[in-house]
Structure formats: C-alpha cells, structure tokens
Amino acid sequence: MSNSFIEILKAVFLGIVEGITEWLPISSTGHMLLVDEFITLNTSDAFKEMFFVVIQLGAILAVLLLFWNKMFPFQFKDKSQPVVRKDTFSLWMKVVVACIPGAAVTLLFDDYIEAHFHTPQVIAGALIVYGIAFILVENWNKKRMPAVKNLEDITYKTAFIIGLFQVLSIVPGTSRSGSTIVGALLIGVSRVAAAEFTFFLAVPVMFGLSAIKILKFGLSFTGTELVILGVGTVVAFLVSVLVIKFLMGYIKKHDFKIFGWYRIAMGILVILILGF
C-alpha cells in the first residue's frame, strides 16, 4: 500500500476516535494524543497540532445537524419576515458569557500548556482525577434534586460558573464536555440540561479554536494533508451523529458514573503502559 493510503487509513481511525470521545466525557484530545503515541501521522508537527483541533469541526457539524431546531435563533413565518426566537437568542448570549473564561485562558496559556502538559503522564493523571470526580458528584447527587431541570432555565450566573469549569479542560485528558458537565452537576443542573448546554458551548469554542489553529498553520496545505484533514473530519461527523444520539438516550435513564470508571481504568492502563 502507498504511504498516502496508509495515512488516510490513520485519518479514518483518528476520526472514529474523535467522533466517539468528543461527546462522551472521556477527553477527545487526551485519547487523540494517546493514539498518536502508537499510530502516528507521518506529517509535520505543525499539521498534526492543527489536525487534532480542526478535526473536531466534524463533531460540531453533527451537533448543528441534530440540534438545529433548538440552536437556530430565527423563525421564518413567511419568506420575508424572520422573527427572532427570544429564548434561543438569550441562550446563545449565555453561551457567550460561558465562553469568556475559557477564551481568555486559552489565548494566554495555550502555547505553554501544549509545550509542557501534552504528555501521557498528564493525560493519565487527568483521566483518573476527573473519573473520580464524576463518581463522587453522581453519588452526592443521589441525595438531591436538580435545581435546573431544563436547558432554558439556565441563568447567566449558572452559565458563567459552567464556563469557569470549562477552563479546566485546557489540560489534556480533562475533557471539555467532562469538565463542563461535572461543573453543571455540582451546581444543580440536570444531566440532560448539562449535556445540551455542553453541546451549545462547544460550537463557538471549537469554531474559534479551529480558526486560531488554521491561521497559525497557514493555508499552505499539500494535497495529501487536505485529504487527511477532510477524511478525518467527515468520519468524525458521521460517528458523532451516532454517539450524540446514544448519549442523550443513555443519560435519560443512567448517570455518568460508567464514564468515571472508564476514565480511571484508562488512566491506570496508560500508567502501566508507560511503566513497561
């Protein structure tokens, strides 16, 4: 097989990993970096750094497809008069508020984090720590009812607090969805509302990060690099559609503890692999 075809197969596999791990609270970046330790893309480091972020756009497009009716802030009653859906517009304003802490920290510390924390040891530690957090929070929540049951009931204050928790996800292995969901559960948001707000929050965050990474990389793609990026993104989109549907059905009947146990097991496995 040609080298280009092998790289495309790697992109397919990475797209599958991204599609599964982006929405389950188990850290997509952490898994992608771990997979790269064993299945390395034979591209420049600059392209690989950009690829691991921009491939997530496929996952975001899956969210837009499945939640378009909830996310689109305009309603067309006739062909010429769009009407603003106030509840949806207000929700997007809360998302903007939630994005502020993460955007500030990313702009200030992203390069430093990438240089010093993108290691298997850090990923393993974050997987275990937040796995334990999920289990503890879910056990605590058994004794209380959520104060915020629906997505529409999230206030600006609640959104900002969730945004503060999202800052934690700058460390690989934490999980963007994991940190925001843990934070939301802690302050009394229901599982379904926490997951849905995470989906909303991911849209501007991932578009913003992708734009930064593409601008940093430049537009000088080779033909092979464009194919690798395109294939990975499309696969991530297709897998994400299935995973989001699974997750929303699952959390209506179950808690998040299974993901906590998975994180702990995965973190221990990484430590054992490093040890041997």
Side-chain angles (χ1 to χ4, degrees):
M1 287 187 287
S2 68
N3 290 335
S4 294
F5 183 70
I6 292 173
E7 296 308 304
I8 291 170
L9 288 180
K10 291 178 183 178
V12 170
F13 185 77
L14 289 168
I16 293 171
V17 173
E18 164 60 27
I20 293 172
T21 59
E22 181 63 40
W23 304 116
L24 302 184
I26 55 178
S27 177
S28 63
T29 302
H31 278 75
M32 295 283 278
L33 292 172
L34 289 173
V35 168
D36 186 56
E37 293 290 318
F38 304 97
I39 304 176
T40 303
L41 282 173
N42 291 324
T43 60
S44 67
D45 290 340
F47 174 81
K48 195 187 304 183
E49 178 186 326
M50 181 273 299
F51 174 85
F52 283 164
V53 174
V54 177
I55 191 179
Q56 297 176 40
L57 286 179
I60 296 302
L61 291 176
V63 165
L64 292 176
L65 173 68
L66 295 175
F67 289 89
W68 182 255
N69 289 334
K70 281 193 172 185
M71 290 185 167
F72 192 60
F74 300 102
Q75 184 177 21
F76 292 90
K77 291 190 174 181
D78 56 56
K79 293 183 178 180
S80 60
Q81 294 295 325
V83 177
V84 175
R85 297 163 62 186
K86 293 182 179 179
D87 290 345
T88 305
F89 187 79
S90 174
L91 187 56
W92 278 115
M93 291 299 99
K94 294 168 188 174
V95 168
V96 171
V97 169
C99 286
I100 293 172
V105 171
T106 298
L107 289 172
L108 291 172
F109 300 108
D110 187 49
D111 289 340
Y112 180 82
I113 293 293
E114 284 189 358
H116 296 86
F117 289 86
H118 280 214
T119 66
Q121 293 86 348
V122 171
I123 293 169
L127 284 169
I128 292 171
V129 168
Y130 287 93
I132 294 170
F134 264 112
I135 295 168
L136 293 177
V137 170
E138 285 289 18
N139 285 338
W140 182 48
N141 276 347
K142 285 182 178 179
K143 303 175 183 178
R144 60 180 193 151
M145 293 293 292
V148 180
K149 294 184 178 180
N150 301 310
L151 183 64
E152 296 76 14
D153 297 330
I154 292 176
T155 63
Y156 282 95
K157 178 182 177 181
T158 300
F160 184 74
I161 295 172
I162 293 173
L164 291 176
F165 277 94
Q166 184 183 229
V167 170
L168 300 172
S169 67
I170 194 172
V171 177
T174 299
S175 170
R176 187 176 301 103
S177 61
S179 60
T180 54
I181 288 172
V182 164
L185 294 176
L186 271 174
I187 60 177
V189 180
S190 71
R191 295 186 190 98
V192 172
E196 289 183 342
F197 191 73
T198 296
F199 296 153
F200 269 77
L201 193 54
V203 174
V205 168
M206 289 319 307
F207 274 113
L209 284 176
S210 295
I212 290 171
K213 293 296 183 183
I214 290 174
L215 289 172
K216 187 184 293 185
F217 178 76
L219 299 176
S220 55
F221 294 93
T222 66
T224 300
E225 287 173 341
L226 279 175
V227 171
I228 290 172
L229 184 59
V231 168
T233 303
V234 170
V235 172
F237 165 76
L238 295 173
V239 175
S240 288
V241 170
L242 299 176
V243 170
I244 291 168
K245 288 182 177 181
F246 160 76
L247 180 63
M248 295 311 297
Y250 180 86
I251 61 175
K252 288 176 181 178
K253 300 178 181 178
H254 306 87
D255 59 28
F256 284 102
K257 283 198 288 187
I258 189 173
F259 303 112
W261 288 115
Y262 170 84
R263 291 178 65 102
I264 294 169
M266 188 67 179
I268 292 172
L269 178 61
V270 173
I271 292 172
L272 290 175
I273 291 172
L274 291 173
F276 288 104

